[in-house]
Amino acid sequence: MLNRRRTHQFKRNTSHTSPNRRRVLTKNSHKKVLNRRKAFAIMQMDEMAEKNESAAQPS
């Protein structure tokens, strides 16, 4: 499983900045979120593939 992310400092940083900087920060963090979701989905697919392979092989 993936660990939870701590967002308190990020929210504090973004709430006290200019709109342009806020936009950049949120864009960068959103990329990280998407990459983590993609990595998690790949992990899930690998686990499912291993289960299917072990179930398909006769013992």
Side-chain angles (χ1 to χ4, degrees), residues 7-30:
T7 59
H8 177 76
Q9 184 180 7
F10 172 75
K11 288 179 180 176
R12 193 179 67 231
N13 287 342
T14 55
S15 62
H16 301 297
T17 59
S18 66
N20 285 337
R21 176 149 173 75
R22 191 177 304 142
R23 206 169 293 123
V24 169
L25 284 169
T26 52
K27 185 180 78 172
N28 290 342
S29 67
H30 187 61

